[in-house]
């Protein structure tokens, strides 16, 4: 692999939770670093050696969403929120701020490790500024320069809005995009409350593009939160 244990920052004010995370990470080849406040956590990330952040929502100084927002201004390190809050609003707030994933406490170590692996896989394409000129996943191929879309080598006609929505998802492949982020990306800031537009257009994209029974579904619904486009790596695995 890359020759060193990945450094994972735990931002959490509860000592017991920190101890549980530290022990679990050490046992699975990660190098944990600990911060008990948001401010201290941001300082650690600023050293540039943190590869992933596990973030509690309720911290003594800053809200987890605020910590995420500040981190997102200058780092691509994946942020996984760990929270006892099950409210959908908290979840959406975390994703809107730029979190990569959200895990509700209590959770199993195996689940956490799986989410961490997934978040670290996604970081490579995201930190490269340019989207490649051709995007391919499963049976879908999109020539982004020419604006042409193929499914199994057959050209598929998309309306301008459908195409724009597809491009926003491609630019953020692997990431959960909230309804807000997608509406803003496609229709602009005036339409961020029109979630029904989005459901209609996502339905059309699915009908036109997500048609290959041999591949896992390309467009993943995250209930109450948004949608995620799978990258090629995940579409090649057999669907469960
Ligand atoms: Ca807390």
């Amino acid at each position: 692999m890359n020759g060193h244990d990945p450094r994972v920052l735990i931002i959490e004010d509860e000592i017991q939770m920190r101890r549980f995370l530290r022990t679990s990470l050490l046992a699975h080849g990660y190098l944990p670093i600990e911060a008990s406040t948001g401010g201290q956590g941001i300082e650690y990330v600023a050293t540039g050696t943190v590869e992933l952040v596990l973030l509690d929502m309720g911290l003594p100084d800053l809200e987890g969403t605020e910590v995420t927002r500040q981190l997102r201004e200058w780092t691509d390190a994946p942020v996984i929120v760990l929270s006892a809050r099950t409210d959908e609003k908290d979840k959406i707030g975390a994703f809107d701020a730029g979190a990569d994933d959200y895990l509700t406490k209590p959770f199993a170590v195996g689940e956490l490790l799986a989410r961490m692996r997934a978040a670290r896989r996604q970081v490579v394409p995201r930190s490269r500024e340019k989207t490649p000129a051709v995007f391919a996943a499963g049976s879908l191929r999109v020539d982004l320069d020419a604006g042409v879309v193929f499914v199994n080598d057959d050209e598929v006609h998309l309306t301008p809005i459908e195409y724009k929505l597809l491009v926003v998802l491609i630019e953020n492949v692997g990431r959960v995009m909230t309804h807000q982020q997608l509406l803003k990306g496609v229709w602009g800031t005036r339409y961020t409350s029109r979630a029904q537009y989005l459901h209609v257009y996502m339905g059309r994209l699915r009908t036109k593009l997500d048609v290959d029974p041999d591949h896992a579904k390309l467009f993943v619904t995250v209930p109450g939160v948004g949608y995620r486009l799978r990258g090629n790596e995940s579409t090649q695995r057999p669907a469960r």
Side-chain angles (χ1 to χ4, degrees):
M1 299 297 273
N2 48 10
H4 68 279
D5 293 344
R7 292 165 74 96
V8 175
L9 175 64
I10 302 162
I11 310 180
E12 166 70 74
D13 58 333
E14 271 168 64
I15 295 170
Q16 310 241 312
M17 190 65 192
R18 279 213 308 272
R19 187 180 306 144
F20 163 71
L21 290 170
R22 183 206 311 147
T23 312
S24 310
L25 293 183
L26 280 171
H28 292 91
Y30 292 94
L31 187 63
I33 315 162
E34 296 167 42
S36 56
T37 65
Q40 198 187 0
I42 291 168
E43 272 179 44
Y44 276 131
V45 179
T47 62
T49 56
V50 171
E51 287 169 56
L52 188 140
V53 179
L54 300 179
L55 176 64
D56 178 34
M57 275 292 235
L59 293 163
D61 56 340
L62 294 169
E63 274 291 298
T65 43
E66 182 53 30
V67 175
T68 308
R69 197 167 293 121
Q70 291 195 26
L71 291 177
R72 271 297 158 264
E73 287 173 14
W74 43 269
T75 178
D76 264 343
V79 174
I80 300 179
V81 171
L82 308 176
S83 176
R85 300 177 194 169
T86 52
D87 196 333
E88 222 148 62
K89 266 193 292 183
D90 290 308
K91 218 174 186 176
I92 294 168
F95 280 116
D96 272 335
D100 293 84
D101 210 342
Y102 192 104
L103 209 51
T104 307
K105 295 174 184 171
F107 48 81
V109 175
E111 176 74 11
L112 173 66
L113 295 169
R115 304 282 188 105
M116 287 172 61
R117 284 193 298 273
R120 293 187 70 229
R121 272 200 301 271
Q122 287 163 25
V123 82
V124 178
R126 191 147 58 91
S127 56
R128 294 202 186 119
E129 275 299 302
K130 281 225 28 106
T131 308
V134 174
F135 173 84
S139 52
L140 173 69
R141 191 160 54 85
V142 182
D143 183 331
L144 292 155
D145 286 337
V148 190
V149 180
F150 301 90
V151 173
N152 291 323
D153 293 328
D154 295 323
E155 189 175 338
V156 177
H157 176 74
L158 296 185
T159 67
I161 292 280
E162 289 164 0
Y163 182 71
K164 205 166 169 191
L165 176 58
L166 178 63
V167 170
V168 173
L169 286 163
I170 289 173
E171 284 169 347
N172 294 281
V173 61
R175 290 195 66 189
V176 176
M177 293 296 284
T178 62
H179 299 140
Q180 287 269 67
Q181 289 167 333
L182 288 169
L183 286 163
K184 202 171 150 189
V186 177
W187 287 276
T189 42
R190 284 172 54 210
Y191 295 92
T192 48
S193 59
R194 307 289 182 87
Q196 73 271 23
Y197 291 4
L198 189 59
H199 300 315
V200 169
Y201 280 94
M202 282 305 303
R204 291 188 192 163
L205 281 187
R206 282 194 159 125
T207 309
K208 289 183 177 180
L209 307 179
D210 225 345
V211 290
D212 189 342
D214 295 336
H215 286 280
K217 290 287 170 225
L218 290 167
F219 304 103
V220 182
T221 302
V222 184
V225 177
Y227 298 94
R228 180 167 65 84
L229 172 63
R230 282 185 216 258
N232 213 11
E233 183 189 6
S234 41
T235 52
Q236 279 167 350
R237 285 188 215 122
R240 266 186 286 172

